[in-house]
Amino acid sequence: ERLCEIYGLRVKMADHQNDNAFQKQDAIFIGSKRLLAKKGGAGGKITRYYRNIGLGFKTPKEAIEGSYIDKKCPFTGNVSIRGRILQGVVQSTKMKRTIIIRRDYLDYVSKYNSYEKRHKNIAAHCSPAFTVNVGDSVIVGQCRPLSKTVRCDVLRVEQKSTDTKKAFSAF
C-alpha cells in the first residue's frame, strides 16, 4: 500500500496519482479536510466537484462517482462549452486523452451541378469519463483552445459501431 503526505496528513495514494505533480481538483480545497480527517469526522471521503454543462447534455455517472482528475474535462474541470456542437466518427485514439474525429460533408460544384464528398479531421479532448473506440459516433462541443490543435471536448458517445474508420457513411 502506497502512502503519501498531503498537508501533513498521511493518506493512501489513489489510482489517479500517477504523474509527477500532485493531482487535485482546483475547485476543492483539500486543506479544510485535514482537521476533519484527523478527528475521523469525514471518514476519508473527499468531496468531488462536478457540474451540469447545460445544452441538454447529462453529466456522466463516471464523472460524478469516478476518481479521475482532468482539468480539461467539461464536467469536472475548468472548461466551458460555447460555439458549435459537432458530430463525427472516431478515427484515432492513439493519443493520451485526445481523439481524432472525422466529419464527412458534401461540397457543391457549380460547374458540374453536383456534389463531391469531402471530410475534415478534428482533434478533440476525450475525458476519462468516456470509453471510446475507433468507429464510434461522438458529439463534441467547441471550447477554448486546450492545446495547439485541440479546440473541442467530447460531450457524448452516441453509438458503438464496428464499421471501418474511413467509410463515408453519412450519406
Side-chain angles (χ1 to χ4, degrees), residues 91 102-105 117-121 166 168:
Q91 190 173 5
R102 178 185 171 108
R103 297 196 68 233
D104 298 321
Y105 62 96
K117 295 176 183 178
R118 290 191 178 183
H119 79 276
K120 291 276 189 208
N121 288 340
K166 287 198 174 182
F168 202 90

Side-chain angles (χ1 to χ4, degrees), residues 88-93 99-101 132-136 138 165:
V89 178
V90 177
Q91 190 173 5
S92 171
T93 58
I99 61 172
I100 302 296
I101 64 169
V132 295
N133 297 316
V134 174
D136 292 349
V138 295
K165 62 181 178 180

Side-chain angles (χ1 to χ4, degrees), residues 27-47:
I28 304 296
F29 181 62
I30 299 175
S32 65
K33 301 295 179 189
R34 181 178 61 190
L35 297 174
L36 293 174
K38 282 185 178 177
K39 294 177 183 176
K45 178 80 173 164
I46 296 176
T47 58

Side-chain angles (χ1 to χ4, degrees), residues 105-151:
Y105 62 96
L106 295 176
D107 188 44
Y108 181 70
V109 182
S110 59
K111 179 179 179 179
Y112 298 111
N113 195 21
S114 62
Y115 294 89
E116 64 182 4
K117 295 176 183 178
R118 290 191 178 183
H119 79 276
K120 291 276 189 208
N121 288 340
I122 298 174
H125 181 267
C126 185
S127 169
F130 301 109
T131 54
V132 295
N133 297 316
V134 174
D136 292 349
S137 178
V138 295
I139 292 182
V140 298
Q142 185 182 359
C143 60
R144 63 175 170 83
L146 301 176
S147 68
K148 180 181 175 182
T149 57
V150 178
R151 274 107 176 96

Side-chain angles (χ1 to χ4, degrees), residues 40 48 66 77 98 130 135 143 154 159:
R48 180 165 175 80
T98 303
F130 301 109
C143 60
V154 174
Q159 62 184 2

